[in-house]
Amino acid sequence: MPWTYIVRCSDDSYYVGSTWDIDARLWQHNHSDELGATYTRRRRPVALVWSAWFDRIEDAYLFEKRVQGWSRKKREALIRDDYTALPGLSRRAAVQRREAESDSAADG
């Protein structure tokens, strides 16, 4: 079954990927110098922090590419299953700061 997944690397960075076999892929990330991604090879061990299965590998791959473009904060919201935070984290940083300042002024 096709998966999109996120692993946390030993340097606390995230790697996003997609695969048919998540258990085999995690093993590759942690043990194989030939099959694991170059990025994770230098950042072992890695630990699975989020995954979702899809009906088609094409959908898993497209979601992987989408999440790869996300900020760290947005990826962490996905990992926490905090789906309500995702739209706000899609906004540019300047817009997020203005909203936070506006909320602080309204509370104060």
Side-chain angles (χ1 to χ4, degrees):
M1 128 180 6
W3 294 88
T4 299
Y5 63 92
I6 302 174
V7 295
R8 180 178 290 119
C9 300
S10 63
D11 65 356
D12 205 35
S13 64
Y14 294 112
Y15 175 87
V16 182
S18 59
T19 185
W20 278 102
D21 184 341
I22 198 162
D23 292 328
R25 190 64 180 139
L26 289 172
W27 186 91
Q28 291 169 351
H29 281 304
N30 278 311
H31 300 96
S32 177
D33 286 336
E34 296 169 7
L35 301 174
T38 302
Y39 185 86
T40 59
R41 245 181 263 154
R42 296 186 309 264
R43 294 167 173 84
R44 290 179 181 155
V46 304
L48 181 68
V49 293
W50 179 88
S51 62
W53 64 270
F54 292 80
D55 291 328
R56 301 175 330 138
I57 192 67
E58 295 84 4
D59 297 333
Y61 177 77
L62 289 173
F63 196 72
E64 169 195 349
K65 293 303 169 193
R66 180 184 298 173
V67 174
Q68 284 177 345
W70 288 3
S71 68
R72 180 178 183 88
K73 285 183 180 183
K74 191 168 180 180
R75 289 181 188 185
E76 289 175 340
L78 179 66
I79 292 165
R80 290 190 313 269
D81 294 328
D82 186 1
Y83 301 110
T84 58
L86 295 178
L89 293 170
S90 295
R91 297 187 182 99
R92 293 183 317 231
V95 173
Q96 291 179 38
R97 275 193 302 276
R98 273 196 305 270
E99 288 176 351
E101 291 167 0
S102 174
D103 289 345
S104 295
D107 291 340

